[in-house]
Amino acid sequence: MHILANRVDKSFLRHKDEYESAALRVLRSGWYVLGNEVKSFEKEFSDFNFGANGGFCAGVASGLDALIIGIRALGIGKGDEVIVQGNTYIASVMGITINGATPIFVEPDVNYQIDVDKIEAAITPHTRAVMVVHLYGEVADMDRITEICKRHGFFLIEDCAQAHGAIWRGKKVGTFGDVGCFSFYPTKNIGAFGDAGALISNDENIIAKAKVIRNYGSQKHYYNEMVGMNSRLDEIQASLLRVRLKYVDEITRERKSIAKKYIDRIHNEKIILPMEQSGSSAVWHQFVVRCAERDKLIKYLDDNGIDTIIHYPIPPHLQTAYKYLGNQIGDYPITEQYANEVLSIPMYNGMTDDEQKYVIDVINNFE
């Protein structure tokens, strides 16, 4: 048996006719950029997160663009600092630095989320915001983080690229902060069929500014208010995302079921399983285990036909791109330990019971 680490084709085939009908609807409409599909998706995605008529949304070209535009819309730039966890994907950090601001890294907690106990020690007179990354589809402690930001007058940015529909104490992630940023890369729980992204906010002015930035800095065609960028969610992707959004509860239930089987049935003292924080409802974008003998585990799983992925082998503070920040090996030991031990095992919609059982049995037999 050969089991891929991730698959997106099964989700497409499950609702194939609806996806194809949506794409054809756009192709036949003759309107391909910033039309009714984008407007409809923005409304539907906002309602999904905030409830009916509760917030605002801007569709953009990618999750990274959502971060860049969201941070710029808040007025964060050169001379400002943004606190962010050290074990995130580099896009989170790029959203900060492309705007000219400086990332201040904080170690993660045992759930791979930002360690709230370490946030205040990272504050300086230049701090303007805290960025929370709901990594792997799990959820950070939003009560405490929100309180810190309010007390200090900081912006709160949520990177929800992996956490569509995840919940903290009854409220969806992305709705706690000044801006919530999402990726719809094909492997995401709400995945498009190419690059796509969005940002949400309960502040209409932030989203209005984001829509100007995404469209060359223009609200009216050929009248440019600022130097913007070209980052528009296209009509075909919006139409496909509208189909995907209809089935997000089904998608989440299935992933929760797979995660529960892994947690309940993997019993190997060499494998550290993920945990959900009390009060949270994870959506399991990835199922990430840790193992001190990761290379040996990867080879063993590969020999048994099980593919895996490392999310992520090199933390941002040690990437060549951020050498100028002056960080060294050992500066963030927990982040670095996780980078050396984490491993994502197969997790995707459409995974069969036999495939799940095989993965569990093989892992349990790892010595």
Side-chain angles (χ1 to χ4, degrees), residues 69-297:
I69 293 171
I71 291 170
R72 183 175 171 189
L74 295 176
I76 295 170
K78 187 175 181 180
D80 297 329
E81 293 177 352
V82 178
I83 294 170
V84 62
Q85 66 201 65
N87 64 322
T88 185
Y89 181 51
I90 199 167
S92 308
V93 184
M94 286 182 174
I96 297 166
T97 60
I98 287 172
N99 279 291
T102 301
I104 302 299
F105 297 109
V106 167
E107 293 272 50
D109 62 18
V110 295
N111 298 302
Y112 309 116
Q113 311 306 301
I114 191 169
D115 189 335
V116 184
D117 291 332
K118 293 182 170 65
I119 290 176
E120 300 220 45
I123 294 172
T124 77
H126 303 290
T127 305
R128 288 287 307 284
V130 175
M131 178 187 288
V132 175
V133 184
H134 301 290
L135 201 64
Y136 308 142
E138 297 192 54
V139 186
D141 185 339
M142 295 311 298
D143 290 342
R144 294 175 64 200
I145 295 168
T146 300
E147 189 278 326
I148 290 171
C149 288
K150 286 182 177 178
R151 178 157 40 88
H152 290 279
F154 298 154
F155 291 117
L156 174 54
I157 303 159
E158 291 184 81
D159 182 343
C160 309
Q162 301 183 357
H164 314 88
I167 293 171
W168 176 259
R169 302 194 188 282
K171 186 177 178 181
K172 286 192 173 77
V173 301
T175 65
F176 290 87
D178 295 278
V179 65
C181 303
F182 294 80
S183 167
F184 302 124
Y185 187 75
T187 59
K188 307 299 186 186
N189 293 21
I190 302 177
F193 290 74
D195 282 313
L199 52 152
I200 63 172
S201 178
N202 59 13
D203 186 333
E204 188 174 10
N205 292 326
I206 290 173
I207 296 303
K209 187 172 182 180
K211 288 181 176 180
V212 171
I213 295 169
R214 77 176 178 188
N215 192 34
Y216 296 98
S218 173
Q219 189 167 210
K220 181 181 179 182
H221 203 31
Y222 297 130
Y223 291 80
N224 301 82
E225 304 168 22
M226 64 179 73
V227 178
M229 57 196 289
N230 177 8
S231 181
R232 300 173 298 209
L233 175 63
D234 72 67
E235 285 286 284
I236 288 181
Q237 295 298 347
S239 73
L240 298 171
L241 284 166
R242 292 181 69 195
V243 176
R244 184 81 166 175
L245 189 58
K246 286 170 56 179
Y247 297 102
V248 66
D249 289 340
E250 168 192 301
I251 290 164
T252 301
R253 281 195 302 270
E254 186 176 1
R255 298 180 87 89
K256 284 177 176 286
S257 175
I258 296 168
K260 188 175 188 306
K261 287 179 184 176
Y262 279 157
I263 291 169
D264 289 347
R265 301 178 189 179
I266 293 176
H267 303 290
N268 187 321
E269 61 183 14
K270 292 188 174 184
I271 306 300
I272 299 173
L273 297 172
M275 302 178 293
E276 279 190 89
Q277 291 203 70
S278 176
S280 72
S281 179
V283 294
W284 302 104
H285 169 61
Q286 303 291 347
F287 192 90
V288 179
V289 302
R290 281 173 44 217
C291 179
E293 301 175 75
R294 184 177 66 190
D295 290 347
K296 180 181 175 183
L297 176 61

Side-chain angles (χ1 to χ4, degrees), residues 285-350:
H285 169 61
Q286 303 291 347
F287 192 90
V288 179
V289 302
R290 281 173 44 217
C291 179
E293 301 175 75
R294 184 177 66 190
D295 290 347
K296 180 181 175 183
L297 176 61
I298 290 171
K299 185 179 186 306
Y300 166 76
L301 293 174
D302 185 61
D303 289 344
N304 283 276
I306 299 172
D307 293 352
T308 56
I309 303 173
I310 301 172
H311 293 100
Y312 304 97
I314 304 175
H317 74 277
L318 296 179
Q319 292 282 0
T320 302
Y322 288 120
K323 188 175 181 179
Y324 72 89
L325 293 174
N327 294 300
Q328 305 292 327
I329 293 174
D331 285 351
Y332 300 96
I334 299 172
T335 294
E336 293 164 27
Q337 179 185 357
Y338 287 177
N340 291 326
E341 294 182 355
V342 294
L343 188 67
S344 299
I345 64 174
M347 164 65 80
Y348 53 85
N349 292 92

